[in-house]
Amino acid sequence: MIKMEIKTTTQTELIDITDRVRSRILESGIKDGICVITTRHTTSSIIINENERGLRNDILDMLETLLPQNKNYAHDLIDNNAHSHLRAVLLGMNAMVPIEDGHPVLGTWQSIFFVELDGPRNRTVNIKILES
Ligand code: ZN
């Protein structure tokens, strides 16, 4: 298991980790297999989509529209971050990409993002690389 530390700087943000994942796959020496990327936290997510400034803002706007803060969620009685947990449930905690010839197989416009939903915090992402 490879650990990747991520220091986030705002409450909600998308951080492109594609290059860091690609480096870890190269370092592993595994040529063909599967790479599983998981976040260890209940208020963050891993997604794959296009790294374009407008779209990144649209994703954050979507989260605010679907799951606004301060909506009298039950969890807010003890922790005041229910919206962060619910957004993490919506986006999911992992992504998987195939590996071929030592590289992650991604489309031209696909990037791997760590999504901070309750920052800023120090976060840990796990990368598991399986040979096939
Ligand atoms: Zn909480």
Side-chain angles (χ1 to χ4, degrees):
M1 183 78 73
I2 301 162
K3 275 189 186 175
M4 179 191 294
E5 305 297 334
I6 297 175
K7 193 176 180 65
T8 65
T9 57
T10 60
Q11 190 187 27
T12 309
E13 64 180 312
L14 279 78
I15 298 172
D16 191 330
I17 59 171
T18 312
D19 288 344
R20 294 170 70 177
V21 171
R22 185 176 283 117
S23 297
R24 300 305 200 286
I25 291 170
L26 279 173
E27 287 163 17
S28 77
I30 291 174
K31 298 295 179 197
D32 283 277
I34 290 174
C35 177
V36 183
I37 305 120
T38 54
T39 175
R40 288 179 59 93
H41 311 281
T42 57
T43 55
S44 67
S45 293
I46 305 291
I47 62 170
I48 296 179
N49 218 290
E50 182 175 350
N51 188 356
E52 189 276 321
R53 184 201 306 262
L55 181 62
R56 292 200 308 271
N57 289 333
D58 290 338
I59 291 169
L60 299 181
D61 286 348
M62 173 190 74
L63 294 173
E64 186 61 40
T65 300
L66 294 176
L67 294 161
Q69 290 191 46
N70 308 319
K71 217 187 128 191
N72 296 319
Y73 301 108
H75 181 65
D76 285 342
L77 293 174
I78 62 156
D79 203 15
N80 208 35
N81 66 351
H83 66 287
S84 305
H85 291 279
L86 294 172
R87 291 171 183 186
V89 168
L90 189 69
L91 297 180
M93 56 79 73
N94 62 53
M96 209 168 14
V97 288
I99 300 167
E100 279 183 11
D101 299 324
H103 297 282
V105 181
L106 290 166
T108 305
W109 304 108
Q110 286 182 312
S111 292
I112 306 164
F113 289 98
F114 175 83
V115 187
E116 175 59 80
L117 298 166
D118 193 26
R121 293 175 188 265
N122 293 318
R123 300 298 204 172
T124 304
V125 168
N126 284 334
I127 299 173
K128 186 77 176 177
I129 300 170
L130 306 170
E131 196 163 20
S132 64

